[in-house]
Amino acid sequence: MNLRKGNLMSVRDDVKVLDATIRDGGLCNNFEFSDEFVKELYKTNVKSGIDYMEFGYKASTSMFDENEFGKWKFCKEEDIRAIVGDNPSDMKIAVMADVGRCDYKTDFLPKSESVIDMVRVACYIHQIPAALDMIEHFHTLGYETTCNIMAVSQATTDQLSQALEMLKNSNVDVIYLVDSYGSLFPENACELTQFYLNAVEGSGKKVGFHAHNNQNLAFANTIETLSYGVSYLDATVEGMGRGAGNCSVELLLGFLKNPKYNLYPLLKFIEKYMKELKDKGVVWGYGLQYMFTGHFNRHPREAIDFTNNKREDFSEFYKSLLDNY
């Protein structure tokens, strides 16, 4: 039985592309993007037909020192409005709120007073009850909501079943399958996709996918999950994101057949702004060190340290991971 939704020539109206460059990419440069960069990316995304643009985190200013991060760690209303005004475009604005790292009851205006459209609640599997409390609060304020269950590759089937059942009975709009460690292959990404879709069947809720590129599979896994019914697809410009980075939005727009998406404006942005970032020393993308942590289904923090320390002793690093596997 073919469970794929559509084919390589078809267009699915349920598919939405979310650009997470400022949020996930901000983990590479401490969220120190210039206003020009963010404004030009906003304009580029509008021209390219992107459905959602995630501006960053809504982190707690009591937990994190504002002097140590760029403004997109905090996504204050006035900072977003300085970029988008009242956002006259069709593209929606998103921010991420981490369980335990935000003051969600005080830092969010009612949707009627905010230019933000969607709040993406990120949590680990054991934090689902706290995530649900946040989701219901944001729903009451009038926002679209997602629940991004991180490190899903380390969750048990029983844990996932319980979490998805709880989310199915909530007011969340989209439930994200997140390959935090870049450890999934298309085969098990497909199995998890069907697990998520079956769990929420009949609820009207959508499923999203957020990939990491530790094994050079972010794009492959994204289009594989898409083909089995995932609707919301995360991507970043040139894959910019923590460690090995994410699915590249230019690859995704080049693949999708919907004429609403336009690759050309994105290429112009890459030419002008992404090279400048790299020239300044901002680093992300596939490397052997990230392949290893993806292979062992581990958080990339050790590989990030390896990269930051400019190490090149890959065999020794591999052996150290193997010894602690």
Side-chain angles (χ1 to χ4, degrees):
M1 179 180 178
N2 186 5
L3 298 174
R4 294 187 190 268
K5 311 295 182 186
N7 56 54
L8 287 172
M9 294 297 291
S10 60
V11 170
R12 278 180 30 213
D13 292 334
D14 62 305
V15 172
K16 308 293 182 189
V17 176
L18 182 143
D19 169 50
T21 305
I22 304 302
R23 201 272 308 165
D24 213 322
L27 296 168
C28 303
N29 69 344
N30 213 31
F31 304 93
E32 297 285 357
F33 295 99
S34 69
D35 284 358
E36 180 187 352
F37 182 99
V38 178
K39 187 152 198 169
E40 288 305 312
L41 179 57
Y42 166 75
K43 289 158 61 176
T44 296
N45 282 334
V46 171
K47 292 175 186 173
S48 296
I50 300 296
D51 300 284
Y52 291 82
M53 178 174 171
E54 187 175 46
F55 271 69
Y57 288 97
K58 195 86 167 172
S60 168
T61 55
S62 61
M63 292 180 70
F64 300 96
D65 187 343
E66 291 182 73
N67 296 317
E68 295 181 4
F69 299 91
K71 66 180 74 171
W72 307 112
K73 175 82 169 177
F74 306 98
C75 284
K76 294 183 177 179
E77 185 75 24
E78 59 268 27
D79 290 331
I80 300 177
R81 285 189 180 274
I83 301 296
V84 309
D86 291 329
N87 185 28
S89 75
D90 291 332
M91 183 178 71
K92 295 183 177 182
I93 305 301
V95 296
M96 180 165 279
D98 270 345
V99 168
R101 295 184 177 185
C102 65
D103 300 317
Y104 67 96
K105 291 191 175 176
T106 57
D107 283 356
F108 284 84
L109 297 168
K111 168 63 193 100
S112 59
E113 301 171 26
S114 175
V115 74
I116 297 167
D117 299 289
M118 171 186 277
V119 182
R120 297 180 1 128
V121 176
C123 67
Y124 291 102
I125 196 82
H126 66 278
Q127 297 172 317
I128 287 292
L132 286 167
D133 190 62
M134 291 171 65
I135 287 162
E136 296 307 322
H137 178 73
F138 295 134
H139 176 77
T140 300
L141 290 179
Y143 293 100
E144 295 178 39
T145 57
T146 79
C147 184
N148 294 37
I149 309 174
M150 299 182 290
V152 72
S153 57
Q154 290 195 336
T156 67
T157 301
D158 189 50
Q159 285 175 318
L160 265 181
S161 292
Q162 292 177 42
L164 292 172
E165 181 65 23
M166 294 164 78
L167 288 165
K168 180 180 180 179
N169 294 317
S170 77
N171 281 304
V172 76
D173 297 297
V174 187
I175 305 169
Y176 262 86
L177 165 55
V178 183
D179 184 17
S180 300
Y181 301 160
S183 63
L184 297 181
F185 296 98
E187 184 175 355
N188 46 16
C190 157
E191 290 170 357
L192 279 166
T193 293
Q194 294 181 65
F195 189 82
Y196 273 57
L197 289 167
N198 290 337
V200 301
E201 188 174 7
S203 67
K205 301 187 187 309
K206 302 295 185 183
V207 173
F209 185 69
H210 180 90
H212 277 266
N213 203 37
N214 297 62
Q215 301 188 89
N216 259 337
L217 289 169
F219 174 58
N221 286 338
T222 297
I223 62 173
E224 181 74 355
T225 61
L226 162 69
S227 76
Y228 282 94
V230 160
S231 302
Y232 282 66
L233 308 173
D234 283 13
T236 61
V237 180
E238 289 203 311
M240 186 184 185
R242 185 203 65 193
N246 307 108
C247 174
S248 296
V249 71
E250 59 273 15
L251 280 171
L252 192 55
L253 294 195
F255 171 82
L256 293 170
K257 300 301 184 290
N258 193 328
K260 72 167 284 190
Y261 297 121
N262 184 0
L263 181 61
Y264 186 77
L266 184 61
L267 300 179
K268 298 294 287 184
F269 177 85
I270 289 171
E271 286 174 12
K272 185 169 183 181
Y273 291 99
M274 298 308 288
K275 182 181 183 301
E276 182 180 333
L277 274 185
K278 292 178 179 177
D279 288 346
K280 288 179 179 177
V282 182
V283 176
W284 71 89
Y286 170 80
L288 284 174
Q289 66 273 36
Y290 295 117
M291 183 196 86
F292 301 154
T293 57
H295 178 74
F296 290 124
N297 192 20
R298 291 168 70 139
H299 193 286
R301 63 176 62 90
E302 295 155 296
I304 292 171
D305 287 341
F306 181 98
T307 305
N308 291 341
N309 291 325
K310 296 182 167 49
R311 288 174 58 184
E312 295 183 349
D313 55 333
F314 296 104
S315 57
E316 283 300 312
F317 181 56
Y318 178 78
K319 188 171 70 174
S320 72
L321 295 176
L322 196 60
D323 289 344
N324 295 296
Y325 186 46

